[in-house]
């Protein structure tokens, strides 16, 4: 049963993401349709057949983007809730953490920003986008990565506080398993790579305001997310 509901949730999340991408890209698709030839023109004409850029269409675009964005965010939280509860918390006796699904979703946003930074770096270095992707883009996204790295610590510490202060045997056993026992090395790697490395490096403007700095920290975050 958990596999069925988790799969359905992921499918609906992907569909909401594709719909959001398509609606927000309608003006760009119309530009491709009107200024190119060949298969690109035919493809864009199918994707944006009626877009003319009228005031009513722009109004529709803003409203539909907002609605789809809300649905996407709700499905994002729901997917993380199902996966964390059914495949993590339910498998560890005594692990009771109402905050963990939100923790998992926030950590996924951190990894998503890191993935975007690496993608931007590859496109700039090897994809011919040097004129379009500059320091400002890396600087701006680096600030978001820094904020999400602080949130990683906040969510972890909030959950840890509940387990540590309660001092119940079952909650102490959870700490022993996940942070002190067989997963100690994995936990330390995740803590260092997801929080300590971004925190002690992204506070420096020369590193954060550069093309190479934020992607380098993004590698640390993605490796840390793997261990997490």
């Amino acid at each position: 049963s958990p596999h069925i509901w988790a799969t359905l949730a992921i499918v609906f999340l992907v569909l909401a993401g594709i719909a959001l991408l398509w609606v927000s890209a309608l003006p760009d698709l119309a530009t491709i349709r009107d200024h190119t030839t060949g298969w690109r023109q035919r493809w864009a004409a199918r994707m944006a057949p009626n877009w003319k850029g009228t005031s009513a269409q722009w109004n529709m675009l803003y409203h539909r983007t907002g609605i789809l964005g809300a649905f996407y965010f709700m499905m994002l939280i729901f997917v993380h809730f199902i996966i964390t509860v059914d495949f993590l918390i339910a498998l560890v006796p005594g692990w009771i953490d109402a905050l963990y699904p939100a923790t998992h979703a926030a950590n996924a946003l951190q990894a998503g920003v890191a993935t975007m930074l690496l993608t931007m770096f590859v496109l700039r270095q090897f994809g011919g986008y040097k004129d379009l992707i500059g320091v400002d883009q890396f600087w701006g996204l680096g600030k978001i990565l820094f904020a999400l790295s602080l949130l990683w610590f906040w969510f972890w510490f909030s959950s840890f506080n509940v387990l540590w202060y309660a001092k119940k045997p079952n909650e102490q056993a959870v700490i022993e398993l996940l942070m002190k026992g067989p997963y100690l090395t994995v936990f330390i790697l995740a803590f260092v790579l997801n929080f300590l490395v971004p925190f002690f490096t992204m506070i420096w403007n020369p590193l954060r305001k550069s093309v190479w700095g934020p992607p380098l920290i993004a590698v640390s975050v993605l490796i840390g997310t793997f261990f997490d």
Side-chain angles (χ1 to χ4, degrees), residues 24 28 47 60 77 82 96 100 126 133 149 153 157 161 164 166 171 180-181 184 186 190 217 220 226:
S24 60
D28 300 300
M47 298 297 293
M60 178 274 297
I77 302 300
I82 287 182
I96 302 171
Y100 193 73
F126 309 107
I133 302 176
S149 300
F153 176 81
F157 190 67
N161 262 344
W164 187 76
E171 293 174 332
K180 294 168 62 179
L184 174 63
V186 175
I217 308 307
S220 168
F226 170 79

Side-chain angles (χ1 to χ4, degrees), residues 105-185:
N107 294 352
L109 292 176
Q110 182 194 26
V113 171
T115 303
M116 191 66 211
L117 278 167
L118 281 181
T119 304
M120 286 166 51
F121 182 78
V122 171
L123 288 174
R124 174 184 164 82
Q125 294 299 116
F126 309 107
Y129 283 84
K130 285 190 176 181
D131 295 333
L132 300 175
I133 302 176
V135 175
D136 287 344
Q137 283 73 30
F138 287 100
W139 191 23
L141 209 53
K143 294 175 185 177
I144 299 176
L145 184 65
F146 178 67
L148 290 169
S149 300
L150 295 179
L151 273 180
W152 189 98
F153 176 81
W154 185 88
F155 274 109
W156 169 80
F157 190 67
S158 298
S159 296
F160 174 76
N161 262 344
V162 174
L163 298 174
W164 187 76
Y165 271 110
K167 290 292 192 288
K168 293 180 180 179
N170 61 322
E171 293 174 332
Q172 292 298 300
V174 172
I175 293 178
E176 182 68 32
L177 172 68
L178 298 179
M179 300 175 195
K180 294 168 62 179
Y183 287 100
L184 174 63
T185 303

Side-chain angles (χ1 to χ4, degrees), residues 21 23-34 43-44 48 51 58:
L21 176 64
V23 170
S24 60
L26 279 173
D28 300 300
L29 292 169
T31 302
I32 296 172
R33 177 197 66 198
D34 297 337
W43 170 72
W51 180 266
W58 277 107

